Amino acid sequence: MLRPNKSRPRWHIAVFLAPALLLYSIVLVFPLLDTLRLSLFSSNGESFVGLSNYQRLFTDSQWWPYFWRALKNTVLFFILHMLLQNPLGLLLAALLDSKNLRGRSIYRTLLFSPTMLSFVIVGFVWQLILSPTWGIAPAISEFLGVRYRPWLGLESTSLPTVALISIWQFVGIPMLFFMTALLAVPQDILEAARVDGASAWQLFWRVKFPLILPTVGIVSILTFIGNFNAFDLVYTAKGALAGPNFSTDLLGTFFYRTFYGFQLQLGDYAMGTTIAVVIFLIILFGSLLYLLGWQRKVVTYEL
Amino acid sequence: MVRKWRWKLALVSLLTTVLAACGGGSATQAPTTNPNRVTLTIESWRSDDQKVWTEQIIPLFEKSHPDIHVEFRPTAPTEYNAALNSKLEAGTAGDLITCRPFDVSLGLYTAGHLTALDDLQGIAHFSDVAKSAWQTDDGKTLFCLPMASVIHGFIYNKAIFNELGLSEPKTVDEFFAVLDKIKQDGRYTPLVMGTAEQWESATMGFQNIGPNYWFGENGRKALIDGSAKLSDAAYVSTLKDLARWGDYLPDGFEAVKYADAQMLFASGKGAIYPAGSWDISYFNQNAKFELGAFKAPVAKANDQCFISDHTDIGIGINAKTAHMAQARTFLEWMTGPEFAGEFSNALPGFFSLSDYPVSLKNPLAQTFVDWRKQCQSTIRNSYQILSRGEPNLENELWRMSVGVIDGTFTPEAAAQDLQKGLDNWYKKP
């Protein structure tokens, strides 16, 4: 085996890495560290206060209930996506994978297209559809015999409604992931299973599904990261105060109000960055849990 | 997330500064006959008013002041505070700064960006209420000239009122009697407002009808000095009144947005619209029927009435301006009757705050401003000092006003909660 010559430093590696490293440090690493630093200072940024901002967030009666509610809402938002968006994505992918379906690429494009729309448009269009004044939802629910309610405006239904809109928008992403995974399943294995007399149902759950299991993990972790960062849709549909009565307040909107301020509320950099760091840590540990608990244990078949 | 937004923010500020610098550069090259002519620039968030300023107000000023040229240079409302801050820090901000009310501008003054204006000629033409939005907490120093206010009341559809034989209600009982009659008739939405954006309920609801309960400035100041509480009867009654609105609002009002309500009323499907005077120009353009307006109802006929006459826009001088004398000349002109008449007429619904009598060509705007003669003016009670802590009083008022209307909270519980929130951080001076 050829050994690299130790006497000659390989400068070209550093030279090639430098631009990316520099850019990454400036736009990602430095702001992240600065965020951490800001969260350890008082609100005017002058005195070092250690972890007392975190203590305030977790114990103060003016912070903890608000944070806890935002966290609960975010978890519910995530659970709804896991229960609906990802299985739906898998179902659509399985259907689109069937060879008998005509116009597959048209369906695929149509199902994926909402993902490419801007949040502002999605929020606007759905508000219009669901609007009690101009929307088609009242007429449709009357036709279906369902009692129309202003779902986006009620405390009990606004969060699930926003979650459903988000699921409608993003179901294309898990669908695409699963489709790619399904495409990679070798035909000869499927052929062999068919020859052995496997039904379509068995073929999917016994052969295809175990093979695409790693993708389930990737989709889940992407959903987790996306949902815990979610902000835009609630902001466009419900505003930064995430009403009614904070029922749609996610960690993202809670952070936004705190950091940037809202109406007469002035921005609080220290508490804002504290919340940002906590969100960061939640995502970090969630991702680590996934990497160690799932990614390493799930069997990846070499085909 | 912080990292992403901070960079976006920085980029936006940088871009605005660069663009603004370009704009300033070309402005100074404008052909002038007088070599001593000085150019003043106004920073503002009122991009909607660009035309009014450049075509009406500024030419009027320049006619009597040929040595001074004024440029109106607005920024988008949502970016104004951030862009202005970065321009002031960088020393590229205009000579005249349009001021938001209360803490945002107070912050600019304490940071040394605005000059004190107490000795400005003509300042005596402004009332204490008008000045309160741009004074230091002790009321000793004024740092922006009050420019305009917005007044709350109710706009109604005269055709519907005539058809149903209704007259303008003066007392609370009459108000609900009118609403009941419209509801019984069944063809029109009695009260057109939604609660989806939350601010309508607090601004057009709570702050509109409330001053009659807490006696305007008396009640507002009593909250600040601690002698009154939000759990007092005055506030519980306001919220009780507001809670009754729910029966008269459009179907599904919980998801009706501000613009939906505007359109619903303009299309003639509703009878009464809880309004801010800024709505006047929208309805003038879009409503095809005759409009009337009545002020917030009082408890008993002939009671002293109070109106929310909220100070919304002021203007100050950049402390680092190179043309201090000219900037002061411009502001002194703004204290006079010429500006008051031109401004109030060009922007119906924004009322000049000086004490010169102004005759308005818009009858609806005239109705609103005439209430000043019969009633005492006050401003929104959450704006001065009381929204500085956590939980933010203004945000809480939004949430609770919606809550009592849609039935989430009882008026008593909402009032208790509001006071509890204030007690959490506010220590009376």
Side-chain angles (χ1 to χ4, degrees):
Chain A
M1 197 186 261
L2 217 79
R3 286 217 148 172
N5 189 348
K6 274 183 188 164
S7 60
R8 275 178 56 199
R10 291 183 290 178
W11 289 110
H12 65 279
I13 295 180
V15 170
F16 282 122
L17 278 178
L21 210 62
L22 199 69
L23 211 64
Y24 191 78
S25 310
I26 290 173
V27 300
L28 276 170
V29 178
F30 168 69
L32 190 67
L33 292 177
D34 199 38
T35 304
L36 261 165
R37 185 188 65 79
L38 272 173
S39 75
L40 302 176
F41 280 77
S42 64
S43 291
N44 54 21
E46 276 163 11
S47 49
F48 181 80
V49 294
L51 291 174
S52 78
N53 286 333
Y54 293 87
Q55 195 193 354
R56 238 170 112 200
L57 183 65
F58 291 126
T59 57
D60 191 310
S61 68
Q62 275 321 312
W63 288 98
W64 172 246
Y66 290 75
F67 176 77
W68 180 237
R69 176 169 44 205
L71 183 65
K72 274 195 298 191
N73 286 343
T74 311
V75 170
L76 184 66
F77 194 70
F78 170 61
I79 291 175
L80 282 169
H81 278 76
M82 286 301 283
L83 288 180
L84 288 170
Q85 176 190 272
N86 299 344
L88 210 61
L90 181 62
L91 178 74
L92 292 171
L95 288 175
L96 289 176
D97 192 46
S98 113
K99 297 283 172 292
N100 307 327
L101 189 73
R102 282 166 149 230
R104 281 196 298 169
S105 57
I106 297 173
Y107 289 124
R108 194 185 54 207
T109 312
L110 282 177
L111 287 167
F112 191 73
S113 58
T115 308
M116 297 179 291
L117 293 176
S118 136
F119 279 104
V120 182
I121 295 173
V122 170
F124 181 76
V125 165
W126 274 99
Q127 279 182 75
L128 214 54
I129 293 173
L130 295 173
S131 163
T133 330
W134 329 104
I136 52 166
I140 292 179
S141 28
E142 196 185 333
F143 178 75
L144 294 174
V146 184
R147 184 160 163 253
Y148 170 78
R149 305 288 293 132
W151 292 292
L152 257 181
L154 300 177
E155 197 178 336
S156 51
T157 53
S158 54
L159 183 66
T161 310
V162 172
L164 286 173
I165 296 173
S166 163
I167 290 167
W168 171 84
Q169 186 180 7
F170 287 118
V171 73
I173 291 183
M175 182 190 81
L176 224 57
F177 269 99
F178 288 128
M179 275 179 70
T180 330
L182 287 171
L183 276 177
V185 176
Q187 285 301 319
D188 45 352
I189 296 182
L190 298 175
E191 200 61 36
R194 257 187 231 113
V195 169
D196 283 345
S199 67
W201 185 255
Q202 284 172 324
L203 201 65
F204 183 80
W205 287 111
R206 299 278 177 80
V207 183
K208 288 184 186 172
F209 190 69
L211 289 174
I212 62 169
L213 213 53
T215 309
V216 173
I218 291 168
V219 165
S220 306
I221 196 67
L222 283 177
T223 311
F224 173 73
I225 294 171
N227 286 169
F228 274 76
N229 273 320
F231 160 78
D232 325 45
L233 188 64
V234 173
Y235 182 72
T236 47
K238 301 302 304 177
L241 212 52
N245 198 18
F246 291 119
S247 57
T248 48
D249 202 19
L250 302 180
L251 288 173
T253 42
F254 180 53
F255 157 77
Y256 176 88
R257 274 202 315 279
T258 310
F259 188 83
Y260 289 100
F262 177 68
Q263 195 68 8
L264 301 187
Q265 178 188 341
L266 296 176
D268 183 339
Y269 289 178
M271 288 311 285
T273 47
T274 305
I275 295 166
V277 171
V278 172
I279 299 175
F280 171 74
L281 291 178
I282 291 174
I283 294 177
L284 183 72
F285 282 110
S287 311
L288 280 177
L289 216 64
Y290 155 77
L291 281 174
L292 303 177
W294 170 279
Q295 186 77 334
R296 286 203 177 169
K297 293 195 177 132
V298 72
V299 187
T300 313
Y301 297 96
E302 294 291 341
L303 297 165
Chain B
M1 273 175 327
V2 186
R3 43 187 200 253
K4 208 161 90 189
W5 287 334
R6 287 181 97 199
W7 281 97
K8 271 189 191 164
L9 199 72
L11 210 68
V12 167
S13 335
L14 193 73
L15 210 67
T16 355
T17 319
V18 171
L19 286 176
C22 298
S26 61
T28 45
Q29 283 154 20
T32 50
T33 43
N34 185 342
N36 299 324
R37 203 170 183 219
V38 163
T39 298
L40 297 177
T41 46
I42 304 176
E43 299 281 355
S44 174
W45 70 89
R46 294 289 311 164
S47 34
D48 289 355
D49 306 345
Q50 169 105 55
K51 221 175 140 188
V52 168
W53 279 91
T54 40
E55 289 175 15
Q56 297 181 39
I57 297 171
I58 293 171
L60 196 67
F61 169 77
E62 289 179 354
K63 216 160 47 177
S64 54
H65 301 80
D67 287 350
I68 306 174
H69 173 63
V70 185
E71 295 261 333
F72 188 72
R73 196 207 282 165
T75 320
T78 45
E79 286 157 23
Y80 180 70
N81 297 6
L84 179 66
N85 260 321
S86 58
K87 282 195 245 179
L88 284 167
E89 298 287 343
T92 58
D95 309 280
L96 298 158
I97 311 287
T98 308
C99 304
R100 302 255 194 205
F102 297 105
D103 288 359
V104 175
S105 296
L106 182 61
L108 293 181
Y109 175 71
T110 44
H113 293 309
L114 294 170
T115 47
L117 298 173
D118 298 289
D119 51 348
L120 200 74
Q121 253 177 46
I123 208 72
H125 290 285
F126 294 83
S127 72
D128 288 340
V129 179
K131 287 190 281 196
S132 63
W134 296 286
Q135 275 174 330
T136 46
D137 287 352
D138 56 15
K140 285 189 181 134
T141 313
L142 183 80
F143 45 82
C144 293
L145 179 71
M147 184 156 45
S149 74
V150 290
I151 298 177
H152 286 302
F154 295 84
I155 295 177
Y156 68 93
N157 183 328
K158 273 193 177 167
I160 295 177
F161 266 53
N162 289 338
E163 189 188 345
L164 302 179
L166 304 169
S167 53
E168 292 180 9
K170 292 198 169 52
T171 64
V172 176
D173 291 336
E174 285 172 23
F175 178 68
F176 284 105
V178 164
L179 289 176
D180 279 329
K181 273 188 195 152
I182 306 167
K183 197 177 177 185
Q184 273 159 27
D185 178 72
R187 282 175 295 165
Y188 307 104
T189 303
L191 200 58
V192 187
M193 190 183 83
T195 61
E197 293 178 30
Q198 305 193 66
W199 67 272
E200 316 94 317
S201 311
T203 313
M204 266 96 97
F206 186 82
Q207 302 286 6
N208 186 355
I209 60 173
N212 281 327
Y213 287 96
W214 61 73
F215 307 123
E217 285 293 281
N218 277 336
R220 186 180 77 81
K221 288 192 173 139
L223 276 183
I224 294 173
D225 70 26
S227 59
K229 290 188 178 311
L230 284 161
S231 47
D232 290 350
Y235 302 92
V236 177
S237 306
T238 309
L239 291 166
K240 271 186 179 159
D241 219 8
L242 197 61
R244 292 172 69 185
W245 286 23
D247 291 340
Y248 307 100
L249 297 177
D251 287 339
F253 65 84
E254 296 95 335
V256 170
K257 301 199 101 180
Y258 174 64
D260 295 337
Q262 273 189 321
M263 278 188 266
L264 203 63
F265 182 73
S267 68
K269 288 180 182 154
I272 301 173
Y273 178 93
S277 55
W278 65 85
D279 286 313
I280 291 173
S281 49
Y282 176 84
F283 290 135
N284 265 332
Q285 284 162 28
N286 295 288
K288 300 280 181 288
F289 45 83
E290 213 185 326
L291 296 162
F294 59 87
K295 54 186 181 286
V298 290
K300 286 194 294 289
N302 303 322
D303 274 0
Q304 169 65 47
C305 58
F306 297 88
I307 52 166
S308 169
D309 187 356
H310 190 71
T311 46
D312 200 40
I313 310 179
I315 189 163
I317 301 176
N318 183 348
K320 297 195 183 67
T321 176
H323 312 296
M324 185 59 81
Q326 287 85 351
R328 288 181 71 94
T329 307
F330 184 72
L331 286 202
E332 276 161 11
W333 177 77
M334 283 182 76
T335 64
E338 202 176 21
F339 171 79
E342 190 69 22
F343 181 83
S344 308
N345 268 309
L347 298 165
F350 289 92
F351 304 107
S352 153
L353 282 163
S354 63
D355 60 2
Y356 293 104
V358 169
S359 77
L360 296 176
K361 292 178 197 87
N362 182 308
L364 198 59
Q366 186 67 53
T367 312
F368 271 84
V369 80
D370 279 348
W371 297 337
R372 279 184 182 165
K373 291 179 203 154
Q374 314 150 28
C375 309
Q376 291 179 24
S377 292
T378 183
I379 57 171
R380 295 177 199 151
N381 60 5
S382 50
Y383 270 59
Q384 190 178 25
I385 303 174
L386 296 181
S387 282
R388 284 182 188 163
E390 279 293 331
N392 184 277
L393 179 61
E394 175 73 358
N395 294 358
E396 287 294 280
L397 278 177
W398 290 22
R399 184 164 74 98
M400 292 303 172
S401 300
V402 174
V404 296
I405 293 176
D406 71 16
T408 311
F409 301 103
T410 64
E412 291 81 5
Q416 289 290 342
D417 258 28
L418 286 169
Q419 182 58 36
K420 219 177 92 193
L422 201 57
D423 284 339
N424 187 62
W425 63 272
Y426 185 62
K427 308 282 174 281
K428 59 186 177 192

